[in-house]
Amino acid sequence: PAARGPSAAAPAPDAMAFSTDELAARRRALAERLPDTAVVIVAFGAPEPPNDYTLFAQAPGFAWLTNFLEPEAAMVLVRRGAALEGAMFVPPSDPAREAWTGARAGLDGARAITGLPARPARELRAVLDSLAGTGLPFAVVGELRGGEVRTPDE
């Protein structure tokens, strides 16, 4: 995965040269390896670096499944039998911040890069709450360490 710093432009959609078909095949292969025939798979991208001069590196598992190389994004997949549906959740554009962090893909760019529908990141909590109410098991891609768990106030 590429690292970025201040004033660096976001990678082009083909920065890692993976097609959306290849990414979909990876996501399907992951879903089919899980023992449950109905499951919610959640993958979190790496957080925004704490300082604008700190280099960003995407979480490897997230990058492998999405080719999305921007911070604070998430992907949710729902497998029910042979059906696999998903969505990306990405932060809104913030031109003032992007002056320091580089241009961001936004919803349209996330769709183009991943081949998945894209929604604003602010909707992630409600979607996960709704899916938790279905009783489906959850699988998380990557590591969750204490410092990465967010509270509602963050």
Side-chain angles (χ1 to χ4, degrees):
R4 296 195 339 253
S7 308
D14 62 350
M16 292 177 62
F18 298 120
S19 71
T20 55
D21 290 340
E22 166 69 16
L23 296 170
R26 291 175 180 187
R27 294 187 290 262
R28 175 147 308 279
L30 170 66
E32 290 173 353
R33 290 190 64 167
L34 296 174
D36 298 300
T37 58
V39 63
V40 177
I41 302 166
V42 183
F44 296 102
E48 183 83 46
N51 304 299
D52 60 17
Y53 55 82
T54 304
L55 293 177
F56 171 77
Q58 187 56 277
F62 185 80
W64 188 79
L65 292 168
T66 67
N67 198 36
F68 196 74
L69 305 179
E70 296 181 10
E72 305 295 335
M75 177 193 69
V76 176
L77 300 174
V78 179
R79 177 181 174 200
R80 290 186 175 101
L84 183 63
E85 296 179 358
M88 288 290 296
F89 294 82
V90 300
S93 178
D94 182 349
R97 185 171 188 96
E98 289 172 18
W100 296 99
T101 61
R104 298 298 167 93
L107 297 176
D108 292 337
R111 275 189 288 273
I113 293 166
T114 66
L116 291 170
R119 299 172 66 168
R122 68 180 174 274
E123 295 177 7
L124 177 62
R125 180 177 294 271
V127 168
L128 293 177
D129 285 347
S130 176
L131 289 169
T134 67
L136 292 175
F138 276 62
V140 176
V141 175
E143 272 183 49
L144 287 179
R145 293 180 293 252
E148 293 177 357
V149 176
R150 303 275 171 131
T151 65
D153 296 330
E154 292 185 288

